[in-house]
Amino acid sequence: MNLFGLLALTLLPILCLGAKKPSFVGTFEDYHVKSQSSAPLRLDDASYDDLTAIPRNYSVVVLLTALEARFGCQLCREFQPEWDLLGRSWAKGDRHGDSRTLLGTLDFADGKGTFQKLMLQTAPIFLLFPPTTGQNAKPDGQPIRYDFTAGPQSAEQVVGWISRYLPDGHKPAIQRPLNYVRIITVTTTLLGIVSFLSVAYPYILPVIQNRNLWAGISLITILLFTSGHMFNHIRKVPYVAGNGQGGISYFAGGFSNQFGMETQIVAAMYGTLSFATIALALRVPRMSDPKKQQLAVFIWGGVMFNLKAALGVIRA
């Protein structure tokens, strides 16, 4: 008996040492349970240090922000609803903790010591702490930082950034609540449009079927494109330019240059030519007086001849 008792006393410290659990065991489970009732986790200096302590076998994403109005962080307040939505969606989609990831918020009012320790001068900032033990571990444990250089981010954009540093597998999707105000507004607007069209249909249909209306719209569109209107918008050409002698030049030299005023002049000339052609084709043949008809032919023919000559001079 004495021999067995001595052997038991010898092995007892070894068994106790083998049974001792790592310090991080239970930390994830405790905070994961808390996140199911309040997500993302609201942290302070103590909980931040506890959650990000080394070693850890889980990932932590912390938003360092300053929400109080006295800090003047407009970006922090604009992004907070998206972060809260992300936290709730993550907690709902990861009830069993399969992702081994926790989300937390550290406000400046609750974590001044942490802000001073990290020497942060701006907010909001994301810090992603990867695991230091287990699968996909990074032994150095240094956090990955994300700054809001492009302004407020959506919850989907933040999830995309977080997913890049997590192992492959299921990631909780963002579940946005139904926007009932928007649904009611869209439905009311559509019903109003349908009601208006049903009442105004007898008056609108003749306008839509008017050939002269569509001919005028087509003619204006053709004139805009043939005169170089799109060229002006693409190249951002000047309206006019100086001619080097104290005067103004309305026409640009060369075949790949033009001014804004030049476009308007050319469009007006093309429009007059179009009107002359339409008058000769439609109006003049309907005149009952032969002398007036002959006079109209000479007038519109002269207008077309002079404008064509002027266009030739401009091209030259």
Side-chain angles (χ1 to χ4, degrees), residues 110-132:
D110 302 322
K112 295 181 181 179
T114 301
F115 274 77
Q116 293 173 358
K117 181 173 62 176
L118 297 175
M119 295 185 292
L120 296 178
Q121 301 294 328
T122 60
I125 291 173
F126 271 120
L127 292 180
L128 190 153
F129 294 85
T132 59

mmCIF file of all heavy atoms in Angstrom, residues 110-132:
data_model
loop_
_atom_site.group_PDB
_atom_site.id
_atom_site.type_symbol
_atom_site.label_atom_id
_atom_site.label_comp_id
_atom_site.label_asym_id
_atom_site.label_seq_id
_atom_site.Cartn_x
_atom_site.Cartn_y
_atom_site.Cartn_z
ATOM 1 N N ASP A 110 -15.593 54.531 -23.784
ATOM 2 C CA ASP A 110 -15.409 53.350 -22.943
ATOM 3 C C ASP A 110 -13.980 52.801 -23.003
ATOM 4 O O ASP A 110 -13.644 51.925 -22.201
ATOM 5 C CB ASP A 110 -16.370 52.239 -23.370
ATOM 6 C CG ASP A 110 -17.818 52.684 -23.306
ATOM 7 O OD1 ASP A 110 -18.161 53.428 -22.363
ATOM 8 O OD2 ASP A 110 -18.602 52.303 -24.196
ATOM 9 N N GLY A 111 -13.180 53.267 -23.925
ATOM 10 C CA GLY A 111 -11.850 52.682 -24.097
ATOM 11 C C GLY A 111 -10.768 53.698 -24.360
ATOM 12 O O GLY A 111 -9.973 53.535 -25.292
ATOM 13 N N LYS A 112 -10.743 54.762 -23.581
ATOM 14 C CA LYS A 112 -9.720 55.796 -23.781
ATOM 15 C C LYS A 112 -8.315 55.228 -23.615
ATOM 16 O O LYS A 112 -7.388 55.624 -24.333
ATOM 17 C CB LYS A 112 -9.947 56.943 -22.799
ATOM 18 C CG LYS A 112 -11.242 57.702 -23.021
ATOM 19 C CD LYS A 112 -11.405 58.844 -22.021
ATOM 20 C CE LYS A 112 -12.721 59.586 -22.248
ATOM 21 N NZ LYS A 112 -12.913 60.679 -21.274
ATOM 22 N N GLY A 113 -8.148 54.297 -22.679
ATOM 23 C CA GLY A 113 -6.831 53.710 -22.473
ATOM 24 C C GLY A 113 -6.351 52.951 -23.690
ATOM 25 O O GLY A 113 -5.170 53.040 -24.069
ATOM 26 N N THR A 114 -7.245 52.226 -24.326
ATOM 27 C CA THR A 114 -6.881 51.473 -25.527
ATOM 28 C C THR A 114 -6.539 52.416 -26.673
ATOM 29 O O THR A 114 -5.570 52.190 -27.413
ATOM 30 C CB THR A 114 -8.033 50.543 -25.938
ATOM 31 O OG1 THR A 114 -8.328 49.650 -24.859
ATOM 32 C CG2 THR A 114 -7.678 49.751 -27.171
ATOM 33 N N PHE A 115 -7.320 53.470 -26.850
ATOM 34 C CA PHE A 115 -7.019 54.446 -27.898
ATOM 35 C C PHE A 115 -5.646 55.064 -27.677
ATOM 36 O O PHE A 115 -4.884 55.267 -28.628
ATOM 37 C CB PHE A 115 -8.094 55.533 -27.935
ATOM 38 C CG PHE A 115 -9.284 55.186 -28.779
ATOM 39 C CD1 PHE A 115 -10.250 54.304 -28.320
ATOM 40 C CD2 PHE A 115 -9.445 55.734 -30.032
ATOM 41 C CE1 PHE A 115 -11.358 53.987 -29.076
ATOM 42 C CE2 PHE A 115 -10.544 55.431 -30.811
ATOM 43 C CZ PHE A 115 -11.502 54.540 -30.330
ATOM 44 N N GLN A 116 -5.326 55.386 -26.428
ATOM 45 C CA GLN A 116 -4.015 55.967 -26.124
ATOM 46 C C GLN A 116 -2.904 54.952 -26.334
ATOM 47 O O GLN A 116 -1.833 55.289 -26.849
ATOM 48 C CB GLN A 116 -4.008 56.480 -24.690
ATOM 49 C CG GLN A 116 -4.931 57.666 -24.451
ATOM 50 C CD GLN A 116 -5.030 58.059 -22.993
ATOM 51 O OE1 GLN A 116 -4.427 57.412 -22.129
ATOM 52 N NE2 GLN A 116 -5.808 59.106 -22.704
ATOM 53 N N LYS A 117 -3.149 53.702 -25.969
ATOM 54 C CA LYS A 117 -2.142 52.667 -26.142
ATOM 55 C C LYS A 117 -1.849 52.423 -27.619
ATOM 56 O O LYS A 117 -0.695 52.197 -27.999
ATOM 57 C CB LYS A 117 -2.611 51.374 -25.473
ATOM 58 C CG LYS A 117 -1.619 50.222 -25.574
ATOM 59 C CD LYS A 117 -2.084 49.047 -24.737
ATOM 60 C CE LYS A 117 -3.416 48.511 -25.232
ATOM 61 N NZ LYS A 117 -3.842 47.299 -24.473
ATOM 62 N N LEU A 118 -2.897 52.470 -28.450
ATOM 63 C CA LEU A 118 -2.724 52.260 -29.893
ATOM 64 C C LEU A 118 -2.325 53.543 -30.613
ATOM 65 O O LEU A 118 -2.051 53.497 -31.817
ATOM 66 C CB LEU A 118 -4.028 51.723 -30.498
ATOM 67 C CG LEU A 118 -4.493 50.359 -29.983
ATOM 68 C CD1 LEU A 118 -5.853 50.012 -30.565
ATOM 69 C CD2 LEU A 118 -3.488 49.279 -30.331
ATOM 70 N N MET A 119 -2.321 54.668 -29.889
ATOM 71 C CA MET A 119 -1.955 55.979 -30.458
ATOM 72 C C MET A 119 -2.810 56.311 -31.682
ATOM 73 O O MET A 119 -2.315 56.696 -32.738
ATOM 74 C CB MET A 119 -0.469 56.014 -30.815
ATOM 75 C CG MET A 119 0.444 55.912 -29.610
ATOM 76 S SD MET A 119 2.216 56.086 -30.007
ATOM 77 C CE MET A 119 2.472 54.571 -30.938
ATOM 78 N N LEU A 120 -4.119 56.127 -31.523
ATOM 79 C CA LEU A 120 -5.055 56.407 -32.609
ATOM 80 C C LEU A 120 -5.450 57.876 -32.581
ATOM 81 O O LEU A 120 -5.789 58.410 -31.533
ATOM 82 C CB LEU A 120 -6.294 55.531 -32.479
ATOM 83 C CG LEU A 120 -6.071 54.017 -32.609
ATOM 84 C CD1 LEU A 120 -7.383 53.276 -32.414
ATOM 85 C CD2 LEU A 120 -5.463 53.674 -33.961
ATOM 86 N N GLN A 121 -5.417 58.502 -33.745
ATOM 87 C CA GLN A 121 -5.800 59.905 -33.873
ATOM 88 C C GLN A 121 -7.084 60.081 -34.675
ATOM 89 O O GLN A 121 -7.630 61.174 -34.734
ATOM 90 C CB GLN A 121 -4.670 60.692 -34.555
ATOM 91 C CG GLN A 121 -3.346 60.643 -33.808
ATOM 92 C CD GLN A 121 -3.410 61.333 -32.465
ATOM 93 O OE1 GLN A 121 -4.151 62.304 -32.286
ATOM 94 N NE2 GLN A 121 -2.639 60.833 -31.504
ATOM 95 N N THR A 122 -7.539 59.007 -35.336
ATOM 96 C CA THR A 122 -8.735 59.080 -36.176
ATOM 97 C C THR A 122 -9.661 57.917 -35.849
ATOM 98 O O THR A 122 -9.245 56.914 -35.262
ATOM 99 C CB THR A 122 -8.372 59.034 -37.671
ATOM 100 O OG1 THR A 122 -7.676 57.798 -37.947
ATOM 101 C CG2 THR A 122 -7.500 60.215 -38.056
ATOM 102 N N ALA A 123 -10.889 58.051 -36.242
ATOM 103 C CA ALA A 123 -11.897 57.002 -36.090
ATOM 104 C C ALA A 123 -12.929 57.220 -37.204
ATOM 105 O O ALA A 123 -13.064 58.339 -37.717
ATOM 106 C CB ALA A 123 -12.543 57.070 -34.712
ATOM 107 N N PRO A 124 -13.652 56.173 -37.600
ATOM 108 C CA PRO A 124 -13.594 54.797 -37.115
ATOM 109 C C PRO A 124 -12.471 54.003 -37.779
ATOM 110 O O PRO A 124 -12.014 54.345 -38.864
ATOM 111 C CB PRO A 124 -14.961 54.239 -37.514
ATOM 112 C CG PRO A 124 -15.306 55.003 -38.769
ATOM 113 C CD PRO A 124 -14.745 56.383 -38.577
ATOM 114 N N ILE A 125 -12.074 52.907 -37.121
ATOM 115 C CA ILE A 125 -11.024 52.027 -37.603
ATOM 116 C C ILE A 125 -11.399 50.589 -37.247
ATOM 117 O O ILE A 125 -11.903 50.330 -36.151
ATOM 118 C CB ILE A 125 -9.656 52.385 -36.991
ATOM 119 C CG1 ILE A 125 -9.161 53.725 -37.531
ATOM 120 C CG2 ILE A 125 -8.612 51.305 -37.277
ATOM 121 C CD1 ILE A 125 -7.901 54.220 -36.861
ATOM 122 N N PHE A 126 -11.144 49.679 -38.164
ATOM 123 C CA PHE A 126 -11.333 48.261 -37.905
ATOM 124 C C PHE A 126 -9.988 47.624 -37.570
ATOM 125 O O PHE A 126 -8.970 47.916 -38.212
ATOM 126 C CB PHE A 126 -11.916 47.545 -39.122
ATOM 127 C CG PHE A 126 -13.410 47.536 -39.162
ATOM 128 C CD1 PHE A 126 -14.083 48.113 -40.225
ATOM 129 C CD2 PHE A 126 -14.146 46.955 -38.147
ATOM 130 C CE1 PHE A 126 -15.455 48.115 -40.270
ATOM 131 C CE2 PHE A 126 -15.530 46.955 -38.186
ATOM 132 C CZ PHE A 126 -16.183 47.530 -39.248
ATOM 133 N N LEU A 127 -9.996 46.743 -36.591
ATOM 134 C CA LEU A 127 -8.845 45.901 -36.279
ATOM 135 C C LEU A 127 -9.309 44.456 -36.284
ATOM 136 O O LEU A 127 -10.232 44.089 -35.543
ATOM 137 C CB LEU A 127 -8.234 46.256 -34.924
ATOM 138 C CG LEU A 127 -7.536 47.619 -34.804
ATOM 139 C CD1 LEU A 127 -6.989 47.811 -33.401
ATOM 140 C CD2 LEU A 127 -6.419 47.758 -35.830
ATOM 141 N N LEU A 128 -8.704 43.637 -37.135
ATOM 142 C CA LEU A 128 -9.034 42.222 -37.214
ATOM 143 C C LEU A 128 -7.877 41.433 -36.607
ATOM 144 O O LEU A 128 -6.755 41.464 -37.114
ATOM 145 C CB LEU A 128 -9.280 41.798 -38.659
ATOM 146 C CG LEU A 128 -9.868 40.399 -38.883
ATOM 147 C CD1 LEU A 128 -10.659 40.357 -40.189
ATOM 148 C CD2 LEU A 128 -8.798 39.309 -38.911
ATOM 149 N N PHE A 129 -8.150 40.736 -35.508
ATOM 150 C CA PHE A 129 -7.145 39.943 -34.808
ATOM 151 C C PHE A 129 -7.282 38.483 -35.225
ATOM 152 O O PHE A 129 -8.275 37.824 -34.876
ATOM 153 C CB PHE A 129 -7.314 40.062 -33.282
ATOM 154 C CG PHE A 129 -7.049 41.433 -32.750
ATOM 155 C CD1 PHE A 129 -8.046 42.399 -32.749
ATOM 156 C CD2 PHE A 129 -5.804 41.769 -32.247
ATOM 157 C CE1 PHE A 129 -7.811 43.672 -32.259
ATOM 158 C CE2 PHE A 129 -5.556 43.035 -31.740
ATOM 159 C CZ PHE A 129 -6.557 43.985 -31.752
ATOM 160 N N PRO A 130 -6.331 37.941 -35.974
ATOM 161 C CA PRO A 130 -6.418 36.528 -36.378
ATOM 162 C C PRO A 130 -6.045 35.611 -35.218
ATOM 163 O O PRO A 130 -5.439 36.052 -34.234
ATOM 164 C CB PRO A 130 -5.384 36.440 -37.514
ATOM 165 C CG PRO A 130 -4.387 37.495 -37.195
ATOM 166 C CD PRO A 130 -5.147 38.616 -36.524
ATOM 167 N N PRO A 131 -6.405 34.335 -35.305
ATOM 168 C CA PRO A 131 -6.022 33.397 -34.236
ATOM 169 C C PRO A 131 -4.507 33.193 -34.200
ATOM 170 O O PRO A 131 -3.824 33.301 -35.222
ATOM 171 C CB PRO A 131 -6.751 32.112 -34.623
ATOM 172 C CG PRO A 131 -7.007 32.230 -36.093
ATOM 173 C CD PRO A 131 -7.196 33.689 -36.364
ATOM 174 N N THR A 132 -3.999 32.917 -33.024
ATOM 175 C CA THR A 132 -2.564 32.662 -32.859
ATOM 176 C C THR A 132 -2.262 31.192 -32.637
ATOM 177 O O THR A 132 -1.085 30.799 -32.623
ATOM 178 C CB THR A 132 -2.019 33.466 -31.666
ATOM 179 O OG1 THR A 132 -2.727 33.084 -30.477
ATOM 180 C CG2 THR A 132 -2.193 34.956 -31.894
#
